[in-house]
Structure formats: C-alpha cells, structure tokens
Amino acid sequence: MWIYEKKLQYPVRVGKCDVRMAKFLMEQYGGADGELAAALRYLNQRYTIPDKVIGLLTDIGTEEFAHLEMIATMVYKLTKDATVEELEAAGLGAHYANHDRALFYENAGGVPFTATYIQAKGDPIADLYEDIAAEEKARATYQWLIDMTDDVDIQDGLKYLREREIVHSLRFREAVEILKEEHGRKKFF
C-alpha cells in the first residue's frame, strides 16, 4: 500500500537547543488537534465513506503520519543536547521522570493522547466537516507555534506544515461538494 522513503517529507532544521519550544510542539505530536489524531481519524473514517472519496482520506491520513515524523524530529533535535535541569526548567521534569528523553504521545500540557480525540460519526458529510475543522484548528496551532519561536529554521518547517493543513482543508471541502452533488442526483431503479 505504501512506499516508504527513508527521508522526511520536508527537511527539518533546528538552529538551537530550545526545550521550551519542544514542549509547545508536543501539542502537534499528541494533542487533540495534532498529527497523530488527524492520521488516525482519517484512516478510520475511510471505512464508512463513499468510494468516491476514500482515496482522499487514505492520502491525507498517510501524509499526516509524515507530518508526525517531522514534529517528532523537531522535538528530538530541540531537546537532544538539553540538560536535565533545562528540561525541568521548561516544564518537562515529569516527562523526563516518566520517559527519559523518549517521545511520548501527549500534548503540551503533558496530558496523554486519548482515542476521544478521534471523531467518526459514520455520516460522510458530518465526518468531512469534522475533518475540515480539524485541519483549520491545526493550521491555527501551527501559526501560533510559528509566532512563539525566533528560530527561522523551525519556523520554516512549521510554515510548511501550516500550508499543508490549508491544502488538506481545501481538499476536504472539495470532497463535501462531490458528496453533496452525488446525494442530490436522482436515482433511478
């Protein structure tokens, strides 16, 4: 089903160690509007969506895993040279006590990922509107993260991710229109 290239979808560069920013980026790693929730949501919803748009959910869902990998790389690079004291000062002391430097699916506040972040109603239009909202919330979060750092390298990667959220939102909007048009057609038996 997939071809995996051993490279990131977009290069991740980090200008400096910044544990505070790494903590904020965890929102997009394991938060409600983050990349893991998006990937799982879309790949799950494809089982109850009309054939005309299954491919869209598969494509975007798998791309979200690529985005998750980019966020993980950013967090790793931002913290790899940090001392335990720096981790504690940035509010990651509890994370370090539980996981050392390993990434763990949690949000910026340290709340673990939960399946309640993943919505699936079974109604294609409702699910696609949920997906549009998820992409717009992620776009907003990426903008706020961009605003929170002066590291132009991190900003570059975050701007790329923000723009992909916009593209995904537009594609989901197109899918809604396709399904509305299909639903409005007369059916002859």
Side-chain angles (χ1 to χ4, degrees):
M1 182 171 177
W2 294 286
I3 296 173
Y4 177 70
E5 293 182 44
K6 293 188 177 192
K7 66 177 189 172
L8 294 175
Q9 183 181 16
Y10 188 83
V12 169
R13 294 179 307 279
V14 171
K16 62 185 176 187
C17 176
D18 187 349
V19 181
R20 179 190 68 85
M21 190 62 196
K23 181 180 186 327
F24 297 144
L25 285 171
M26 293 299 290
E27 191 62 37
Q28 289 303 91
Y29 190 68
D33 303 318
E35 302 296 350
L36 178 63
L40 295 175
R41 177 185 300 112
Y42 308 150
L43 293 175
N44 183 63
Q45 287 174 352
R46 27 179 220 154
Y47 292 99
T48 55
I49 202 101
D51 289 344
K52 286 188 175 241
V53 294
I54 286 175
L56 174 67
L57 289 169
T58 302
D59 291 349
I60 294 176
T62 54
E63 184 177 346
E64 298 294 0
F65 280 125
H67 297 172
L68 184 69
E69 186 178 29
M70 288 175 63
I71 292 295
T73 301
M74 288 179 192
V75 171
Y76 170 75
K77 287 183 173 186
L78 287 167
T79 60
K80 71 182 177 88
D81 296 324
T83 65
V84 173
E85 292 77 20
E86 289 172 320
L87 292 169
E88 285 181 287
L92 290 173
H95 178 92
Y96 180 79
N98 283 318
H99 310 288
D100 190 26
R101 293 172 191 277
L103 274 79
F104 183 75
Y105 293 111
E106 60 190 14
N107 68 13
V111 177
F113 181 84
T114 173
T116 59
Y117 295 161
I118 304 165
Q119 297 300 318
K121 191 67 176 170
D123 177 275
I125 301 295
D127 284 345
L128 287 169
Y129 277 122
E130 170 69 29
D131 300 344
I132 293 165
E135 293 295 326
E136 293 299 335
K137 290 186 280 184
R139 176 201 47 80
T141 302
Y142 278 123
Q143 184 58 57
W144 298 327
L145 291 167
I146 290 164
D147 295 344
M148 295 174 80
T149 184
D150 60 356
D151 184 331
V152 294
D153 290 327
I154 288 291
Q155 286 177 340
D156 179 58
L158 294 174
K159 286 176 182 177
Y160 173 82
L161 292 167
R162 180 194 62 199
E163 295 307 309
R164 293 306 300 158
E165 304 301 342
I166 293 167
V167 170
H168 294 169
S169 177
L170 292 171
R171 300 230 17 236
F172 285 134
R173 290 170 199 271
E174 291 167 3
V176 166
E177 294 308 313
I178 289 168
L179 294 184
K180 282 181 176 178
E181 182 180 305
E182 183 72 20
H183 183 69
R185 284 200 179 119
K186 280 193 169 189
K187 294 179 177 63
F188 299 95
F189 298 97

